[in-house]
Amino acid sequence: MALLSSCVGATNSPTSTLPPAVIGSVPAPSSSPSAGPSSSTKPSASPSLAPSAEASSLEAITFDVSGSIGGKPVSGRLTNGMLTVPCSAAGANQVLVVHWTGSAPPSSVPLQGEIDLKPGTWTFGSGAQGTASVGLEGGKATDSLVPSSGTVTTTPAGGSIDATFTSGADSLHLSGSWVCPKS
């Protein structure tokens, strides 16, 4: 507390008139002799240390979708897209885990997806080293679409996909790219 007190001019002495909730939010004393206490009783907002989901995911994923999923037609650029598990890997030459969510136009169908493959370029249906799926957000894993054709490239810095996912009567084409957060 002594270090904090010296930074903001508050003390933790029993004679302090500041309530405990105010200590640490008091601005540093002004050098101006005419400066008095603020007439505002509302504390100033402190900046968040972590960016909002929207700010942290800007341009993190750019996916275009077309087709149907869960019997719902989708077509266009995914909106509100964000990485939910951003490029996590267990080590060199291990599966790179990329999970994402977003809304598909025209009726904002909530989607989620997983692209979990070893780094490299892979062709679905021909020895891809990992798995991928696309489903309705919050849906059952058994209802997800799986890749039937196309390619994916994954690296620790990001990747790209151009693939068709199918299951039953549903078929969805997903194309685009993602950027992994810098460590």
Side-chain angles (χ1 to χ4, degrees):
M1 185 67 177
L3 180 58
L4 177 62
S5 298
S6 67
C7 291
V8 296
T11 67
N12 63 352
S13 72
T15 60
S16 176
T17 58
L18 295 174
V22 175
I23 296 175
S25 65
V26 176
S30 171
S31 61
S32 169
S34 63
S38 169
S39 60
S40 170
T41 58
K42 182 179 175 186
S44 63
S46 59
S48 173
L49 295 178
S52 67
E54 294 80 16
S56 65
S57 64
L58 291 177
E59 303 298 324
I61 65 172
T62 305
F63 289 149
D64 291 313
V65 294
S66 63
S68 68
I69 185 164
K72 300 175 183 183
V74 295
S75 180
R77 174 78 35 105
L78 203 68
T79 60
N80 301 316
M82 67 182 211
L83 296 171
T84 57
V85 178
C87 311
S88 176
N93 202 30
Q94 297 298 311
V95 170
L96 186 64
V97 178
V98 178
H99 294 187
W100 56 270
T101 62
S103 299
S107 58
S108 296
V109 176
L111 299 180
Q112 65 185 24
E114 299 180 3
I115 303 169
D116 304 340
L117 291 107
K118 286 186 176 183
T121 298
W122 306 102
T123 300
F124 291 117
S126 180
Q129 296 289 306
T131 63
S133 65
V134 177
L136 294 173
E137 187 172 10
K140 296 178 192 174
T142 56
D143 293 336
S144 292
L145 309 183
V146 295
S148 57
S149 64
T151 59
V152 62
T153 298
T154 63
T155 73
S160 62
I161 190 166
D162 186 4
T164 299
F165 291 74
T166 59
S167 181
D170 287 323
S171 177
L172 178 92
H173 184 257
L174 175 71
S175 63
S177 62
W178 66 92
V179 177
C180 297
K182 295 191 191 300
S183 304

